Amino acid sequence: MEILECSEDFGGPMAGLTFQRTTVVYSVNGAIYRAYSRKRYAEAQNIQIGDLYGTNRIQSALVFPEFQDSFTKVEEPGPHHSRWFLKKPSLSPYTPRYPTLIKETWIEEVKACEILKESPHPNVAQYHGCAVLEDGTIRGIYFTSYDETLMERVNPLRRNKLDSAYERRGADQGQVESWVEKIERGIRHLHGLGIVHNDLNPSNIMFHGDNPVIIDFDSSRPMGHDLSLVKRTDEWHDGKVTEALPSNDLDALEEIKSWLLGDVHRFRF
C-alpha cells in the first residue's frame, strides 16, 4: 500500500473543533482508493490497511481530465525549470455521490489558468502549462514556485483565526497596506478578465520576496457562475453567497486586512 494523500478532518462548533477522522488516499497495484480511519497518525507510513473503513475505489477516468488542444502542454521540465512547482489534483474530496467533481474542478482551473497565461500579472501566480501522461490525461499543472504563504509568514504556528489576529495587534500598518494594495491589484486584474477567485484566504496568497501573489484557482469561476459545488475555505467567505461575484474576493480581502491588523471587531466571517 502506497499512501498518496493523508489529511485530518475536524468538526463541531468553530470555537471547539475536534478531530473526526483521517482521510486517506492510497494505491495498491496501480489502483487508487479513498478511505477513512478513526485514528490520528504522526507519520503517514504508520497507516495500516486494517485501520481503514468506508473504502471507495477511485476510477482514474472519472477524476483525471483529458488534455485539450486549447490547453498548454509542458514537456518534461529541465534543470532550468527548477523554480517551477507541479500542482496535482487532491483526491481526498472524492465522493461516490459526485464522482466526476474533481475532474470538472480541474478543467475549470486549467481554463482559468489559460486565460491568465495570455494576460499575466505580477500579483497573480504564473502558470506554465499542463503535465500530460502518455494516455493523454492531465496529471498536474505547472506554476512558478514561490517562497511562502501569507499564513506561513505571519502565523507560522497555524493558530486559529481569532488568536492569531489578537497576536497581530500592533502590526506594521504600512506593510499591511502595501500587501493589501498589491493583492487588490491582482484581484482587479482577475475581475477584468471575467474571473472571480472565490477562495481568497491567507493560505492562497504567497510571496515572491515581499511581493504578494494570488495562487490556487480551483475555486475560480466566471462571473455569475453557480458556486453550490465549489470549495471555499471556512471563516474566509460568506456562506450565504452562492454566486461568483467580484464582492466575494473584495470582501475576503477586507477580512484578510482586518486579520493582519488584529482588528477582530471588524471580522465579518
Side-chain angles (χ1 to χ4, degrees):
M1 177 175 69
E2 179 186 0
I3 305 299
L4 304 177
E5 297 179 32
C6 177
S7 60
E8 294 183 339
D9 301 330
F10 292 81
M14 292 306 298
L17 293 177
T18 58
F19 171 77
Q20 303 293 310
R21 63 188 181 184
T22 299
T23 300
V24 181
V25 178
Y26 65 97
S27 66
V28 176
N29 297 325
I32 303 175
Y33 301 87
R34 195 281 334 270
Y36 304 111
S37 172
R38 295 183 176 86
K39 299 180 180 179
R40 303 182 74 176
Y41 303 90
E43 297 181 347
Q45 64 187 30
N46 296 335
I47 299 173
Q48 301 295 318
I49 194 76
D51 298 340
L52 305 178
Y53 70 95
T55 303
N56 288 110
R57 181 169 179 175
I58 300 176
Q59 299 291 338
S60 296
L62 297 179
V63 296
F64 297 114
E66 293 183 1
F67 179 77
Q68 302 177 19
D69 290 340
S70 59
F71 297 161
T72 303
K73 181 178 179 180
V74 174
E75 303 300 337
E76 190 65 29
H80 59 293
H81 294 141
S82 60
R83 287 288 297 174
W84 285 16
F85 167 75
L86 179 62
K87 178 183 178 182
K88 298 180 180 180
S90 173
L91 304 182
S92 297
Y94 175 83
T95 171
R97 290 177 296 175
Y98 200 156
T100 62
L101 181 58
I102 294 174
K103 181 177 184 177
E104 293 169 10
T105 299
W106 200 235
I107 291 175
E108 290 292 339
E109 180 164 14
V110 175
K111 287 180 178 178
C113 288
E114 290 290 340
I115 294 173
L116 294 172
K117 191 173 189 298
E118 296 301 315
S119 300
H121 189 277
N123 300 111
V124 178
Q126 186 176 6
Y127 159 79
H128 299 287
C130 302
V132 184
L133 292 188
E134 291 182 0
D135 64 2
T137 58
I138 299 172
R139 294 303 177 99
I141 305 176
Y142 284 105
F143 292 94
T144 293
S145 180
Y146 299 100
D147 302 328
E148 60 184 345
T149 67
L150 176 60
M151 180 69 78
E152 291 168 338
R153 178 169 289 200
V154 306
N155 184 26
L157 298 180
R158 303 285 295 196
R159 293 186 172 90
N160 66 49
K161 181 181 178 182
L162 195 60
D163 288 346
S164 59
Y166 274 118
E167 292 178 0
R168 291 289 301 171
R169 290 187 170 183
D172 185 329
Q173 185 160 353
Q175 181 183 61
V176 171
E177 293 284 356
S178 175
W179 290 346
V180 170
E181 180 184 349
K182 292 174 182 177
I183 296 167
E184 183 174 353
R185 290 177 193 165
I187 290 172
R188 299 288 185 184
H189 181 72
L190 290 174
H191 295 172
L193 297 172
I195 300 170
V196 181
H197 189 280
N198 295 306
D199 194 26
L200 197 69
N201 68 77
S203 294
N204 282 346
I205 297 167
M206 296 195 75
F207 283 94
H208 178 61
D210 201 43
N211 184 57
V213 178
I214 300 169
I215 67 166
D216 274 2
F217 306 100
D218 49 355
S219 300
S220 298
R221 295 293 184 275
M223 290 186 185
H225 196 285
D226 177 66
L227 300 180
S228 300
L229 296 175
V230 174
K231 173 189 70 66
R232 290 181 285 171
T233 303
D234 290 340
E235 297 190 302
W236 298 102
H237 76 280
D238 184 348
K240 297 187 295 295
V241 177
T242 58
E243 183 180 350
L245 302 171
S247 57
N248 298 353
D249 297 341
L250 296 172
D251 289 348
L253 181 58
E254 280 299 311
E255 191 81 351
I256 292 171
K257 181 178 179 180
S258 298
W259 175 73
L260 286 170
L261 293 172
D263 292 337
V264 297
H265 64 283
R266 296 182 59 189
F267 281 171
R268 296 179 54 188
F269 310 140

